[in-house]
Amino acid sequence: MTQGRVYLVGAGPGDPDLLTVKALRCLENADVVVYDRLVSPEILELAPVGAARICVGKKPAHHPVPQEEINQLLVRLVKSNRQVVRLKGGDPFIFGRGSEEAMELARHGVPYEVVPGITAAQGCAAACNVPLTHRGLATGVRYLTGHCRQDADLDFDWDGLADPDTTLVVYMGRANIEEIAGKLMAHGLDGDLPVLVVCNGTTSRARQLVTSLSRVARDVSDSGFEGPVLFVIGHVASLASVMEPSDVTQEKIVASALG
Ligand SMILES: C[S@@+](CC[C@H](N)C(=O)[O-])C[C@H]1O[C@@H](n2cnc3c(N)ncnc32)[C@H](O)[C@@H]1O
C-alpha cells in the first residue's frame, strides 16, 4: 500500500498558468486537497473529480478553522494513507504559515514535501511589468507583513525599512497602509516615492494603480478594490508604464483614437 504523504504546495498568486509543473503533478495525483481562501477555483479544478476538497479558508481578521485544527486535520488525513495536497496561495513558506504546518507534520513523523510557488510579489510585479530590482533603482527587495499577530503594533525597524534603494513589498497591508506609509515618511522616505498597488493580481479580476507614498492610503481607500492587495513601494514602481509591452501601448493608442 502506498504510504500517505502531505505535499505543502504553493498555488501561486491566482493565474493557473503560474503553477509549477510539480504543483500540477501533485494536484493531479491528490486524494484530498486542503485549500485556503486565496486559491482560485480554476486551480482547484485541476485535482481529480473524485478527490475530496476541504476548504480551511481564512479571511483577514477571521479564522474559520483555527491553525491548530488544520495541523491536526493534515496529520489525521495522511494516516489513512492518502496523498494529501495542502494548497496555499502564492508560496507556502512566505507569509503562508506553511512552516508551522511543516513543523507539526515533522513532530508527528508524517512524510511531507514542500513544493514552492510563485509568491504574490513576483506574480503581481511581473504582471504589471515592474521589476523588483533594477540596476540604478533598487539594489535589493524586502517582503514585509503589514499585519501582525492578533493586530499587535507594527513594531518594525522603521529606520532600516526606510531605505530608498530597496524595494519594499507589503503583504496584508491594506488595513494599516496609512500607518505604514506615515512611518516610512517619518523615517526619511520621500512622500513622492512611487507605489504600485495591485489587487487580485494575475487574475481576470486584476486591478492596479500607481501612486505615491504620501497619497497611497487615500488612493487605495478611494479605489474600490475588492480582494487581496499588495503594495510595491520604491523607485521600480515608476517603471510600470515605461515597461509596458509595445503591443499593449498600441492597443491603448488605437482605443483612445477610436474614442
Ligand atoms: C496570507 S498572505 C499569503 C501570501 C502567499 N503565501 C504568497 O506567497 O503570495 C496574503 C496576502 O498576500 C497578498 N496576495 C496574495 N495573492 C495576491 C494577489 N493575487 N494579488 C494581490 N495580492 C495578493 C495580499 O497582500 C494578501 O493579503
Side-chain angles (χ1 to χ4, degrees):
M1 188 188 286
T2 325
Q3 201 190 11
R5 182 178 276 265
V6 176
Y7 295 88
L8 291 170
V9 177
D15 177 357
D17 284 352
L18 292 177
L19 276 177
T20 64
V21 174
K22 192 163 185 176
L24 178 61
R25 284 203 190 117
C26 287
L27 270 172
E28 287 172 345
N29 291 312
D31 296 314
V32 188
V33 182
V34 179
Y35 65 97
D36 278 350
R37 186 181 61 93
L38 286 182
V39 172
S40 63
E42 298 93 314
I43 289 177
L44 275 177
E45 273 173 23
L46 298 169
V49 177
R53 290 160 171 76
I54 304 174
C55 179
V56 288
K58 301 184 190 110
K59 287 187 183 165
H62 185 251
H63 293 246
V65 182
Q67 188 63 48
E68 182 54 30
E69 273 180 42
I70 299 176
N71 299 347
Q72 289 165 6
L73 173 70
L74 294 177
V75 173
R76 221 172 37 244
L77 287 170
V78 83
K79 287 202 168 146
S80 53
N81 288 323
R82 289 190 271 187
Q83 302 303 304
V84 180
V85 168
R86 172 67 176 111
L87 197 56
K88 289 172 164 286
D91 181 274
F93 276 8
I94 295 185
F95 304 129
R97 303 187 74 174
S99 44
E100 293 173 39
E101 293 171 17
M103 278 182 201
E104 190 67 8
L105 295 169
R107 200 168 71 80
H108 283 85
V110 169
Y112 76 91
E113 201 175 320
V114 182
V115 180
I118 292 187
T119 189
Q122 291 166 281
C124 294
C128 299
N129 307 304
V130 165
L132 292 174
T133 66
H134 184 85
R135 215 147 41 107
L137 289 185
T139 51
V141 56
R142 271 179 91 163
Y143 296 166
L144 181 77
T145 176
H147 179 261
C148 291
R149 208 191 288 223
Q150 285 158 354
D151 292 327
D153 288 346
L154 301 178
D155 189 16
F156 299 146
D157 165 22
W158 292 105
D159 274 330
L161 288 171
D163 171 12
D165 296 326
T166 297
T167 304
L168 196 57
V169 183
V170 183
Y171 290 68
M172 297 170 282
R174 186 171 188 157
N176 292 326
I177 193 59
E178 188 170 1
E179 178 183 350
I180 293 167
K183 287 255 169 65
L184 290 172
M185 288 186 286
H187 285 78
L189 283 188
D190 191 334
D192 287 335
L193 192 67
V195 181
L196 168 70
V197 187
V198 186
C199 179
N200 292 313
T202 81
T203 73
S204 55
R205 288 157 286 118
R207 293 189 58 196
Q208 70 186 72
L209 62 88
V210 178
T211 176
S212 67
L213 203 52
S214 62
R215 292 198 320 261
V216 63
R218 197 187 55 215
D219 286 352
V220 170
S221 137
D222 291 348
S223 67
F225 284 1
E226 280 179 24
V229 169
L230 190 84
F231 299 89
V232 180
I233 302 172
H235 294 294
V236 290
S238 65
L239 297 180
S241 54
V242 180
M243 299 198 27
E244 197 167 67
S246 57
D247 51 344
V248 177
T249 313
Q250 281 306 320
E251 274 174 29
K252 282 188 185 165
I253 292 169
V254 172
S256 75
L258 294 174

